[in-house]
Amino acid sequence: PEVTMLHFAELCAEAGRELLDYRGNIVFSVSQDKEYLLDNPLRRCPDLSHAAEALGFRPLITIKKGIRRFIDFLSEYDEEEWLW
């Protein structure tokens, strides 16, 4: 399903709170770069049907569960191991 960046951020923060006792907040800010994303569309709706057909890929988990799995994966490593 299509989700907004705000909803995605909220899902990440929720999973972080539950799995890692995360206490941060979602912060909105404006870039100092006046050219930043001027040509950026307000909405992206990619068509993944060709990839699904060619690769036989079908998502089996929800966005929420995928975020939780990723955060759980990261929690198994020291910060120095996965930050680049």
Side-chain angles (χ1 to χ4, degrees), residues 22-59:
Y22 174 73
R23 298 285 179 218
N25 296 308
I26 298 169
V27 177
F28 295 92
S29 62
V30 177
S31 175
Q32 300 291 353
D33 181 357
K34 295 193 183 315
E35 300 294 316
Y36 182 69
L37 298 179
L38 286 181
D39 62 344
N40 193 32
L42 295 177
R43 206 170 160 187
R44 289 184 175 85
C45 299
D47 179 3
L48 302 178
S49 61
H50 180 69
E53 184 178 315
L55 302 172
F57 173 76
R58 300 286 187 273

Side-chain angles (χ1 to χ4, degrees), residues 7 10 13 25 33 37 43 49 52-53 60-61 70 78 82:
H7 186 211
E10 289 169 342
N25 296 308
D33 181 357
L37 298 179
R43 206 170 160 187
S49 61
E53 184 178 315
L60 300 176
I61 62 171
F70 182 64
D78 290 332
W82 56 266

Side-chain angles (χ1 to χ4, degrees), residues 53-73:
E53 184 178 315
L55 302 172
F57 173 76
R58 300 286 187 273
L60 300 176
I61 62 171
T62 64
I63 292 171
K64 185 174 183 174
K65 189 170 186 176
I67 291 168
R68 295 177 70 81
R69 282 186 178 184
F70 182 64
I71 290 174
D72 193 43
F73 164 79

Side-chain angles (χ1 to χ4, degrees), residues 74-84:
L74 291 178
S75 72
E76 295 177 14
Y77 296 91
D78 290 332
E79 187 173 323
E80 294 80 27
E81 290 181 86
W82 56 266
L83 286 180
W84 49 91

Side-chain angles (χ1 to χ4, degrees), residues 8-25:
F8 186 77
E10 289 169 342
L11 290 172
C12 290
E14 176 187 328
R17 282 190 296 274
E18 293 174 10
L19 298 172
L20 303 174
D21 199 30
Y22 174 73
R23 298 285 179 218
N25 296 308

